[in-house]
């Protein structure tokens, strides 16, 4: 019996070890916290061969200087309206739904697949070098407390109090490390914009843009991201696998707390956040925790909200709003506002590689009745997207989308060789090839209805559109392999200007490049746009790009979801005069009264 007790004890110990190792290797959850406070930590060392690695970068020139930066004509913005409300109070937990797919990893860069939660985890949390004030549009401090233009370079002086969520200081060399690591993962976002990066001491960096810009400081701040050397000390060729579940330190108020894989991600506020008492920050980031519940069934979201299991419901689905809110609890507060900032462009992307015939693409453009489909789905509550870059205050609308025209569609199809009509009304070539085009999409009630309506209108024009419903990851793989015909598509809009390069340039690859264009004219127009230094130059370049996109017939604009409806319970508060440049829940200006 004693022998068996030893065996049982050994098995129990073995199971305990396996349990611990499994949770260390793949952290499916992290202990829930209501708030976190990290003491200031000393800086971690850079890699031993850091300067050598920087010298070997081929995408941009990066240098660390030993001398100090002297005689720089520093400037800053010290007076501007506060962001948020002085009535805001710290504390509480905001529970909200997230309709995006659960992230496959928490990589800050170099992800092998698109990570939609990246926007919530990094874009809306990390503090950039400089920021644009949401109401005045003026440039205000971020990680940099001052800036200057001197000797052909843009200079930034870091706030000496700036720290990561792990307590370590933000140093100028961290931006060089960030550029280096991104290059090693094939991320060219930084090098496409920045030609040179100079590091002086721990607090000063200077850059040279590849092209002059109408908003040089904001463009630079969008491209440059620091990397904390202690966190990336084990960076190597296995980065994507080794770091996929590690939580990168942020420069903002929140970091990841509790994670329930596939279901929930909780953001936890850092009580020791370096910017919590600074102008422009002190009335923001008020909730102790923000729970993102990943719910794909909109009916379930409404049910949970109406039961009080969610604190806020934000939707652009006007139809669902009209049907549900009528029967809601009278305590529920309703807000409706129109956004005045770049919206994700929703529409149909055509692949010029698998659909190389321009006449065929133009015929497809005229065969899909987008306006009618929008009217049915949204009951006239949304606007048609005029062009790809609609929604930017700095870009004028200069073109209109293709209109539904069966006569024109058939004429273009005929020019493409589809001259015979089959028994079912679908056009064919002389060799019997049917005019059959696949349309890939990630199914939802709204998008599935859209595809069905577009298919019906196309059939009246002699074209067969074959719906291809796929999970978002499969759609992503299809785009990366350039195998799709057409795709219901949208992307996160760039800020402060549209990023035409990542979508339409000949060098564009990945999920933001479903068009696969190789147009020398468009490439030149994009380069002109990126080097524009006046509003007239910017408008001229944008108009040229939009005209060429139209002529290439690769983008059928859908709609602008710039009207947002928010329902909240009484304990959720927003500032008066909601910022039109922000989504209310993304601005982190809300607060809770319990």
């Amino acid at each position: 019996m004693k022998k068996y007790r030893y065996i049982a004890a050994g098995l129990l110990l073995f199971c305990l070890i396996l349990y611990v190792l499994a949770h260390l290797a793949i952290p499916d959850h992290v202990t829930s916290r209501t708030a976190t406070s990290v003491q200031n930590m000393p800086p971690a060392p850079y890699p031993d061969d850091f300067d050598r690695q920087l010298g070997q970068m081929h995408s941009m020139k990066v240098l660390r200087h030993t001398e100090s930066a002297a005689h720089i004509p520093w400037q800053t913005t010290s007076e501007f309206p506060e962001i948020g409300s002085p009535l805001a109070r710290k504390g509480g937990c905001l529970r909200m739904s997230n309709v995006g797919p659960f992230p496959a990893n928490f990589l800050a860069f170099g992800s092998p697949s698109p990570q939609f939660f990246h926007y919530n985890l990094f874009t809306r949390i990390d503090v950039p070098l400089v920021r644009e004030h949401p109401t005045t549009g003026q440039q205000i401090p971020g990680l940099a407390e001052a800036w200057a233009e001197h000797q052909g370079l843009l200079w930034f002086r870091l706030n000496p109090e700036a720290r990561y969520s792990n307590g370590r200081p933000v140093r100028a060399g961290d931006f060089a490390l960030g550029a280096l690591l991104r290059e090693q993962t094939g991320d060219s976002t930084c090098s496409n914009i920045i030609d040179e990066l100079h590091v002086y001491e721990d607090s000063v960096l200077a850059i040279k843009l590849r092209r002059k810009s109408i908003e040089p400081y904001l463009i630079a701040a969008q491209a440059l991201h620091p990397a904390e050397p202690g966190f990336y000390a084990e960076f190597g060729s296995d980065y994507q696998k080794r770091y996929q579940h590690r939580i990168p330190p942020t420069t903002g108020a929140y970091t990841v707390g509790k994670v329930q894989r596939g279901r929930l991600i909780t953001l936890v506020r850092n009580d020791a956040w370096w910017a919590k008492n600074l102008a422009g920050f002190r009335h923001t980031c008020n909730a102790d925790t923000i729970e993102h519940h990943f719910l794909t069934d909109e009916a379930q979201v409404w049910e949970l909200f109406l039961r009080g299991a969610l604190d806020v419901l934000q939707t652009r689905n006007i139809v669902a709003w009209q049907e549900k809110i009528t029967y809601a609890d009278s305590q529920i507060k309703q807000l409706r506002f129109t956004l005045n900032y770049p919206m994700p462009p929703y529409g149909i992307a055509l692949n010029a590689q698998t659909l190389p015939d321009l006449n065929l693409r133009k015929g497809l453009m005229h065969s899909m009745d987008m306006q009618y489909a929008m009217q049915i789905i949204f009951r006239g509550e949304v606007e048609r997207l005029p062009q790809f870059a609609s929604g930017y205050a700095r870009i004028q609308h200069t073109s209109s989308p293709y209109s539904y025209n069966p006569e024109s569609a058939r004429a273009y199809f005929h020019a493409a060789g589809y001259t015979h009509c089959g028994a079912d009304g679908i056009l064919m070539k002389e060799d019997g090839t049917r005019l059959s085009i696949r349309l890939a999409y990630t199914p939802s009630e709204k998008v599935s209805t859209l595809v069905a309506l577009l298919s019906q209108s196309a059939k009246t024009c002699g074209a067969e559109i074959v719906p291809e419903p796929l999970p978002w990851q499969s759609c992503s793989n299809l785009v990366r392999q350039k195998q799709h015909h057409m795709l219901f598509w949208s992307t996160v809009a760039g800020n402060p200007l549209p990023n035409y390069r990542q979508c339409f340039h000949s060098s564009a690859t990945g999920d933001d490049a479903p068009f696969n264009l190789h147009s020398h004219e468009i490439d030149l127009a994009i380069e002109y746009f990126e080097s524009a230094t006046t509003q007239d130059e910017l408008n001229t370049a944008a108009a040229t790009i939009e005209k060429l996109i139209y002529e290439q017939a690769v983008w059928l604009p859908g709609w602008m979801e710039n009207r947002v409806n928010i329902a909240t319970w009484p304990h959720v508060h927003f500032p008066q005069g909601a910022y039109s440049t922000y989504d209310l829940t993304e601005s982190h200006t809300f607060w809770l009264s319990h």
Side-chain angles (χ1 to χ4, degrees):
M1 293 295 294
K2 189 174 183 180
K3 171 183 175 183
Y4 291 116
R5 284 199 301 269
Y6 285 140
I7 293 174
L11 288 173
L12 182 60
L13 179 61
F14 179 72
C15 292
L16 180 62
I17 292 172
L18 286 179
Y19 177 86
V20 172
L21 289 176
H23 281 72
L24 286 174
I26 305 177
D28 284 329
H29 69 279
V30 181
T31 302
S32 178
R33 297 169 288 171
T34 56
T36 181
S37 179
V38 179
Q39 298 298 319
N40 289 347
M41 299 285 289
Y46 294 113
D48 293 336
D49 59 347
F50 188 34
D51 288 313
R52 181 188 63 80
Q53 291 188 60
L54 293 178
Q56 293 178 346
M57 290 181 64
H58 62 272
S59 61
M60 57 189 292
K61 180 181 179 181
V62 181
L63 293 173
R64 290 204 298 166
H65 300 273
T66 56
E67 70 271 20
S68 300
H71 309 298
I72 308 300
W74 295 112
Q75 56 181 301
T76 190
T77 305
S78 57
E79 295 184 3
F80 49 86
E82 282 285 4
I83 300 173
S85 170
L87 300 176
R89 296 294 179 264
K90 306 296 183 185
C93 173
L94 183 84
R95 300 163 299 172
M96 61 187 298
S97 67
N98 193 305
V99 297
F102 193 88
N105 59 64
F106 292 103
L107 302 176
F109 57 88
S111 174
S113 61
Q115 299 300 304
F116 298 100
F117 195 68
H118 190 286
Y119 181 78
N120 304 94
L121 181 57
F122 299 112
T123 306
R124 295 303 312 149
I125 291 179
D126 272 329
V127 179
L129 281 167
V130 294
R131 304 176 293 151
E132 184 178 28
H133 193 280
T135 56
T136 67
Q138 66 189 128
Q139 185 172 292
I140 60 176
L143 289 174
E145 63 178 3
W147 47 87
E149 187 167 359
H150 181 60
Q151 296 180 341
L153 300 174
L154 300 177
W155 296 75
F156 298 91
R157 188 179 71 212
L158 299 181
N159 188 318
E161 300 300 320
R163 288 186 174 266
Y164 298 99
S165 52
N166 63 5
R168 299 190 185 277
V170 179
R171 297 175 292 168
D174 297 355
F175 291 87
L177 179 62
L180 172 66
L181 300 185
R182 280 167 169 77
E183 180 183 86
Q184 293 178 354
T185 60
D187 187 334
S188 60
T189 304
C190 181
S191 58
N192 282 340
I193 295 173
I194 295 174
D195 187 35
E196 297 179 10
L197 171 59
H198 299 264
V199 175
Y200 294 85
E201 309 165 321
D202 283 342
S203 61
V204 176
L205 62 151
I207 68 164
K208 179 181 179 182
L209 296 177
R210 291 198 179 278
R211 307 163 192 86
K212 292 184 177 180
S213 171
I214 195 170
E215 293 284 0
Y217 294 104
L218 294 175
I219 292 294
Q222 182 186 13
L224 275 174
H225 303 277
E228 198 278 293
F231 177 79
Y232 291 104
E234 297 180 289
F235 182 92
S237 58
D238 62 347
Y239 159 72
Q240 292 178 348
K241 181 178 180 180
R242 180 184 291 268
Y243 279 85
Q244 61 179 328
H245 296 299
R246 300 184 185 184
I247 308 300
T250 69
T251 55
Y254 291 97
T255 187
V256 172
K258 183 178 181 180
V259 175
Q260 293 178 357
R261 198 159 302 283
R263 295 175 53 198
L264 170 71
I265 296 177
T266 299
L267 300 180
V268 183
R269 182 167 57 85
N270 178 12
D271 282 341
W273 183 35
W274 64 274
K276 67 179 183 179
N277 295 320
L278 297 182
F281 291 110
R282 54 190 164 216
H283 300 313
T284 70
C285 303
N286 303 303
D288 283 342
T289 56
I290 303 173
E291 292 183 357
H292 287 270
H293 295 262
F294 288 81
L295 305 167
T296 56
D297 185 348
E298 188 164 348
Q300 182 188 17
V301 174
W302 276 99
E303 180 184 351
L304 291 173
F305 172 71
L306 295 175
R307 280 182 10 214
L310 297 176
D311 301 296
V312 60
L313 187 147
Q314 179 167 304
T315 181
R316 295 184 177 93
N317 189 336
I318 309 299
V319 176
W321 176 269
Q322 293 172 340
E323 292 175 350
K324 300 285 186 180
I325 204 65
T326 304
Y327 306 101
D329 191 306
S330 59
Q331 297 182 76
I332 293 175
K333 297 187 295 184
Q334 302 176 40
L335 297 172
R336 187 178 186 185
F337 62 100
T338 301
L339 297 173
N340 185 30
Y341 75 103
M343 297 303 302
Y346 292 93
I348 305 297
L350 277 66
N351 185 353
Q353 182 168 295
T354 58
L355 302 173
D357 192 311
L358 180 58
N359 286 315
L360 172 60
R361 299 202 300 269
K362 288 186 175 181
L364 289 169
M365 287 288 174
H366 283 299
S367 73
M368 293 182 282
D369 195 346
M370 181 66 77
Q371 193 66 46
Y372 173 73
M374 287 171 50
Q375 180 66 31
I376 295 297
I377 296 171
F378 299 107
R379 302 179 186 177
E381 288 284 344
V382 300
E383 300 175 34
R384 183 81 189 271
L385 190 70
Q387 59 186 30
F388 180 79
S390 300
Y392 288 85
R394 295 183 176 88
I395 304 297
Q396 297 177 352
H397 295 168
T398 55
S399 61
S400 300
Y402 281 87
S403 59
Y404 176 65
N405 189 322
E407 184 177 339
S408 295
R410 288 182 176 272
Y412 279 118
F413 289 149
H414 189 278
Y418 295 93
T419 55
H420 301 278
C421 186
D424 58 355
I426 302 302
L427 296 174
M428 299 184 298
K429 291 185 176 181
E430 288 189 3
D431 61 4
T433 302
R434 286 167 58 84
L435 179 46
S436 182
I437 307 296
R438 303 190 312 272
L439 173 52
Y441 64 98
T442 298
S444 68
E445 181 180 355
K446 178 172 61 180
V447 178
S448 298
T449 302
L450 171 76
V451 172
L453 292 170
L454 294 181
S455 299
Q456 291 174 12
S457 64
K459 188 173 182 178
T460 64
C461 301
E464 178 185 49
I465 292 181
V466 181
E468 194 172 16
L470 297 169
W472 73 270
Q473 186 66 58
S474 298
C475 277
S476 171
N477 293 336
L478 204 63
V479 172
R480 289 175 176 269
Q481 296 165 10
K482 303 179 181 181
Q483 294 178 349
H484 60 289
H485 284 165
M486 299 193 301
L487 174 75
F488 176 78
W489 177 85
S490 68
T491 185
V492 176
N495 187 41
L497 296 171
N499 192 339
Y500 287 114
R501 178 177 292 272
Q502 73 177 8
C503 300
F504 297 102
H505 197 272
S506 296
S507 61
T509 59
D511 299 279
D512 284 327
F515 310 102
N516 295 305
L517 281 174
H518 295 280
S519 166
H520 182 63
E521 283 183 292
I522 291 181
D523 290 351
L524 290 178
I526 289 174
E527 291 169 10
Y528 180 55
F529 175 82
E530 292 175 337
S531 62
T533 57
T534 67
Q535 188 64 50
D536 286 342
E537 290 178 354
L538 198 70
N539 288 333
T540 299
T544 300
I545 295 171
E546 296 289 348
K547 178 175 179 291
L548 292 171
I549 293 172
Y550 180 91
E551 291 175 350
Q552 287 293 323
V554 292
W555 171 242
L556 182 66
W559 58 86
M560 295 189 292
E561 288 192 346
N562 60 335
R563 295 175 183 172
V564 179
N565 298 279
I566 289 183
T568 73
W569 288 98
H571 60 273
V572 182
H573 307 276
F574 295 99
Q576 290 186 350
Y579 302 123
S580 59
T581 52
Y582 281 159
D583 231 331
L584 282 183
T585 54
E586 295 171 356
S587 67
H588 295 291
T589 55
F590 57 84
W591 72 96
L592 307 167
S593 56
H594 77 259

